[in-house]
Amino acid sequence: MGSRRWPPPPKNMVDNYPALAGFSSPPTREEDADRFLHSLVRFVHSLRRLGIRVSVAETRDALDALSRVNLLDRGQVKVALSATLVKNYHNRKIFDQAFDSFFAPSETLPQKQPELMNEQPVCGGGRDENVGDRLVKAVKEDERDWGKEFLNLLYLTVEENEKMSIKPGWTKQFKKQFIETIGKMQGGGDEGPSAPVAGKTESSLKRWRRQMMKQAIKAGWVSPAKNLIAGSERLDGVPETVIPDVETRQDGESVLYEDMKKIAEEDLARAGILIKKLSRRLATRISRRYFKGRRRGRLDIRRTIRRNVSYGGTLMDLKFQSRKEQKPRLVLICDVSGSMARYTVFVIQFIYGLSNVVRGIETFIFSEELERVTPYMKKGDGFARTMSSLVEKSSQWGMGTNLHASLAAFLKDYLRLLSPSTYVIIVSDGQTIQADQAARNLEEIRSRVRDIIWLNTMPREGWKRSPAINEFQKHCQMFECSTLDQLNRVLGSQMLNV
Amino acid sequence: MKLNELTVNGLYRSFEEQGYICEKNLVITVFLALKLGKPLLVEGAPGVGKTEIGKVLSRIFNAELIRLQCYEGLDENKALYEWNYQKQLLRIQLQKESIGTEMAERDLFSYEYLLERPLLKAIRSRKPVVLLIDEVDKVEEEFEAFLFELLSDFQVSIPELGTIAAEQIPVVVLTSNREREISDGLRRRCVYLYIDYPTVEKEVRILQVKAPEAGEKLSREVANAVSLIRANQGISKKPAISESIDWARALVALGAGSLDQEVVKQTLNIVLKNKEDIETVQREVGVKALAASAQKHG
């Protein structure tokens, strides 16, 4: 059996391999080698099951490395395996746990010996209970505890979310009115006959929201302080001030400086056009890099000389360096929770505008959970239809906020979208539960992408009072973005200049 | 030291002799990278001694250190090779005036006109070299892809010259600050090492080696204080080992025998390099508490 085996067993195998758990008194060298190899392979399988990517080449490296260290020294074995199998800092802890479960420390070997003696290597066609299974069992046991903890957390989350959203179960009604509002926005400059109806809807929506807030405060679901949508007394103001003073406006641009959640219904259409323009501007700023610049840039001396060698070195045909082709990928993550409700109409307009112009943009919305909405954007329907179906089918609109859960889900399921050429744009007011964990998720995402740009609808003066925002700021570029003018300036800034 | 005579203990001793104080696990990983002939990928926070590993290895093996400092926009022309076009142009001009000598294109694209950049230099070197590719997380994905092809086969293709294989496999050390994740492809080809900030005990030993004039008491006080500062999560740039060393030297220069409150106040800017961090430490840890903690343990 042994002579067929490849790769060859480590040279330092014979004397010292009992340091690895599960092996004792080896009968022959060949069988030793088989067990040794199988043990390593099983360990690699276990690592893979725990989510660590280990290639065949790395397994070979590990075998090679083991042949170079003292196998009696558990520490050396561990370093050899970790240096060759685990190439990411994030996976270190998982590896440590796996190693400790898989390879029993030498001091505990005597107690484990009888159990281990009964075990047969897989190749021996033996029992089910082997070392690898023990690891899985250990992991499973661990998971039970984690699961319980997680459930508790989840329970807390639901409770808190209920407090944070204005009223549980309000989304259905909200959705309906929301769709009507969207219908109004998509009309663009032409207000049409539906405008008054939509306007009425919008103001009734506001009234209804105010009512709900009052109820929520009365019922003690939320404290008045928590009830602040943008986290600031100044911005939220008393409900009456939500309707802006239309008469004071001198020109059409004033809508630019209005807090987005206070823009009057009659200005929604105008704001809509403006957002379209803005999203187009951002889109061209990004998509410009999809093409090689036609303008002449720096002289490319290398190519010029090569080209002109045939002219005897006289420079007849100049070659220019064009901008390096780079394709930044965009991932948009938008908060559509209760606290962002009034901004959401602009956010979705923004998403739609962007998705229309930039190909390959990935779009997610979140409140309590993350939802990928890219497929909705690809159908080629009009704005109203796209958004209506989006609002209709998604359960995220107007719920509480859990950025941590959303980002964790993002990291788990959409890791492939993150690369050094990716920009992640987050639109949120940063008011979330489990902010510490969310900050850690953000840090991990940051380490994988080119940059994170956070458009925060909370005014800047409110940021200092929010520890969560302070944490988030460490891992992203945060811009205040509560008015259209700010959105315009953010997009006009150098933030996306690569 | 010769590579084929290498042992873990021997390497450990050599590291200490070169003034690089570290855990044995670090040395084992370096040993394995050398023995397996694989590049060593070193990750960790800034200032924990990643780059120093490359320098130490070059001294231990008495090999030339070839360093490629990575940055955004680094391309093959700057990392691998470039034709010496000025020289080529001169040659063409000279050729025009000297009648009768034939010049073939291949003369123009020979080694004579080749400007070696660090990667090619490391590959073509006949003597042992240590290739240090510093801050590899700064380069673009395309360059990373190019790099891992080079590092797995240790050969490059130059269209005009053909494939050039390495004369001998260089010792390669790559460092990354983990500002961005580097690709799995590159990771797979390397032996991986993560370096964390040193423990107080280890930092005391480092200070005794690097700033012996500070003495053990002051070194311990500095190590305690720095450890406390690093533990504060509000700090944006945690003090590096080199900053601890600077601090100890600064204290000696000021004639301070101990890290008391006044001295901490005067010299905190040596160890913390931005205003916000100094304010954070003053506010959240407090100069008094910092001095007390340093001296208490000391």
Side-chain angles (χ1 to χ4, degrees), chain A residues 304-331:
Chain A
T304 304
I305 304 272
R306 291 195 67 181
R307 176 79 187 160
N308 289 287
V309 164
S310 54
Y311 304 129
T314 311
L315 302 181
M316 308 266 288
D317 187 6
L318 299 182
K319 292 283 172 192
F320 292 89
Q321 278 179 347
S322 48
R323 200 177 230 294
K324 204 173 177 187
E325 196 178 350
Q326 283 181 326
K327 293 179 183 173
R329 284 160 73 176
L330 270 198
V331 174

Side-chain angles (χ1 to χ4, degrees), chain B residues 37-39 119 123 131 133 136 144-155 169-170 172 174 186 189-190:
Chain B
K38 297 241 163 203
L119 295 179
I123 277 188
L131 174 62
I133 304 178
V136 72
E144 236 179 65
F146 157 77
L147 206 56
F148 71 64
E149 285 307 327
L150 176 93
L151 294 179
S152 54
D153 299 335
F154 288 104
Q155 62 176 38
I169 304 288
V172 184
L174 300 110
L186 188 55
R189 283 159 175 83
C190 300

Side-chain angles (χ1 to χ4, degrees), chain A residues 204-405:
Chain A
S204 67
L205 178 67
K206 260 189 212 157
R207 259 203 312 283
W208 172 76
R209 254 179 71 78
R210 281 203 295 271
Q211 253 178 12
M212 289 298 126
M213 278 194 189
K214 273 183 197 165
Q215 274 180 19
I217 295 167
K218 214 173 165 185
W221 289 325
V222 279
S223 66
K226 271 188 177 175
N227 193 29
L228 296 174
I229 289 178
S232 148
E233 202 77 57
R234 191 189 67 77
L235 251 183
D236 285 86
V238 282
E240 283 64 32
T241 59
V242 169
I243 300 158
D245 184 5
V246 183
E247 276 70 36
T248 56
R249 292 214 185 117
Q250 297 302 313
D251 55 28
E253 289 304 295
S254 58
V255 71
L256 264 177
Y257 305 101
E258 196 79 290
D259 187 333
M260 281 186 260
K261 74 186 163 72
K262 292 182 185 173
I263 291 175
E265 36 272 46
E266 57 268 30
D267 286 331
L268 273 180
R270 201 140 45 95
I273 301 174
L274 212 56
I275 289 198
K276 260 185 208 165
K277 272 190 200 164
L278 295 183
S279 52
R280 188 167 286 273
R281 186 182 305 171
L282 176 60
T284 45
R285 187 176 274 274
I286 297 156
S287 58
R288 186 170 61 193
R289 277 177 272 285
Y290 280 78
F291 311 103
K292 278 196 170 180
R294 292 210 181 100
R295 273 173 41 203
R296 289 181 165 189
R298 230 162 30 144
L299 190 67
D300 187 339
I301 299 174
R302 182 181 151 85
R303 281 172 62 218
T304 304
I305 304 272
R306 291 195 67 181
R307 176 79 187 160
N308 289 287
V309 164
S310 54
Y311 304 129
T314 311
L315 302 181
M316 308 266 288
D317 187 6
L318 299 182
K319 292 283 172 192
F320 292 89
Q321 278 179 347
S322 48
R323 200 177 230 294
K324 204 173 177 187
E325 196 178 350
Q326 283 181 326
K327 293 179 183 173
R329 284 160 73 176
L330 270 198
V331 174
L332 194 61
I333 303 177
C334 290
D335 185 348
V336 295
S337 62
S339 62
M340 287 285 289
R342 194 64 176 86
Y343 294 101
T344 308
V345 280
F346 299 98
V347 169
I348 51 176
Q349 185 93 323
F350 181 58
I351 301 174
Y352 183 79
L354 263 186
S355 313
N356 256 358
V357 194
V358 183
R359 273 184 199 170
I361 182 168
E362 282 286 346
T363 315
F364 297 84
I365 56 171
F366 77 93
S367 54
E368 287 165 357
E369 291 165 3
L370 185 82
E371 196 171 324
R372 180 169 176 259
V373 295
T374 313
Y376 293 100
M377 307 292 175
K378 285 182 178 166
K379 280 181 185 164
D381 293 342
F383 175 72
R385 196 176 291 179
T386 307
M387 285 304 157
S388 300
S389 64
L390 182 57
V391 176
E392 192 82 293
K393 283 175 190 160
S394 166
S395 58
Q396 298 303 316
W397 303 87
M399 305 300 280
T401 317
N402 189 346
L403 182 62
H404 162 57

Side-chain angles (χ1 to χ4, degrees), chain B residues 220-269:
Chain B
R220 189 164 289 278
E221 288 184 9
V222 168
N224 281 328
V226 169
S227 161
L228 191 65
I229 293 171
R230 283 187 195 131
N232 189 304
Q233 293 302 317
I235 298 208
S236 59
K237 196 210 158 285
K238 293 185 179 178
I241 295 173
S242 63
E243 280 152 341
S244 308
I245 297 168
D246 288 347
W247 203 13
R249 284 178 182 159
L251 294 172
V252 171
L254 287 174
S258 174
L259 252 188
D260 59 36
Q261 207 175 323
E262 194 55 32
V263 172
V264 170
K265 210 170 175 179
Q266 286 168 350
T267 58
L268 204 55
N269 58 330

Side-chain angles (χ1 to χ4, degrees), chain A residues 440 443 470-471 474-475, chain B residues 228-238 277 280 284-285:
Chain A
R440 279 200 289 278
E443 185 183 7
N470 288 333
E471 276 303 304
K474 287 181 191 165
H475 311 299
Chain B
L228 191 65
I229 293 171
R230 283 187 195 131
N232 189 304
Q233 293 302 317
I235 298 208
S236 59
K237 196 210 158 285
K238 293 185 179 178
D277 283 351
T280 308
E284 290 179 15
V285 182

Side-chain angles (χ1 to χ4, degrees), chain A residues 17 29 32 45 52 62 109 116 122 144 146 152 204 209 212 224 227 269 278 281 309 359 375 399 405 486:
Chain A
Y17 93 126
R29 183 182 157 80
D32 275 357
H45 273 274
I52 300 176
L109 263 178
L116 297 172
V122 172
R144 210 162 51 218
W146 296 339
N152 284 340
S204 67
R209 254 179 71 78
M212 289 298 126
N227 193 29
L278 295 183
R281 186 182 305 171
V309 164
R359 273 184 199 170
M399 305 300 280
Q486 283 167 347

Side-chain angles (χ1 to χ4, degrees), chain A residues 53 55 58 61 68 79-80 83 86-89 92 301-302 306 312 314 447-448 450 474, chain B residues 25 28-29 31-32 38 72 81 83 85 92 96 160 178 180-181 184 187-188 190 192 194 233:
Chain A
R53 284 161 67 175
S55 70
E58 282 168 318
D61 289 346
R68 314 260 177 186
V79 173
V86 188
K87 309 285 176 72
N88 199 319
Y89 174 69
R92 280 282 148 133
I301 299 174
R302 182 181 151 85
R306 291 195 67 181
T314 311
S447 72
R448 292 173 183 275
R450 188 169 194 107
K474 287 181 191 165
Chain B
N25 284 356
I28 297 171
T29 311
F31 167 84
L32 287 172
K38 297 241 163 203
E72 257 186 78
Y81 75 97
W83 289 107
Y85 37 78
I92 294 164
K96 275 191 202 163
E160 298 86 352
R178 290 180 59 232
R180 280 178 204 103
E181 287 293 314
D184 285 344
R187 285 177 190 279
R188 266 202 301 278
C190 300
Y192 180 80
Y194 184 83
Q233 293 302 317

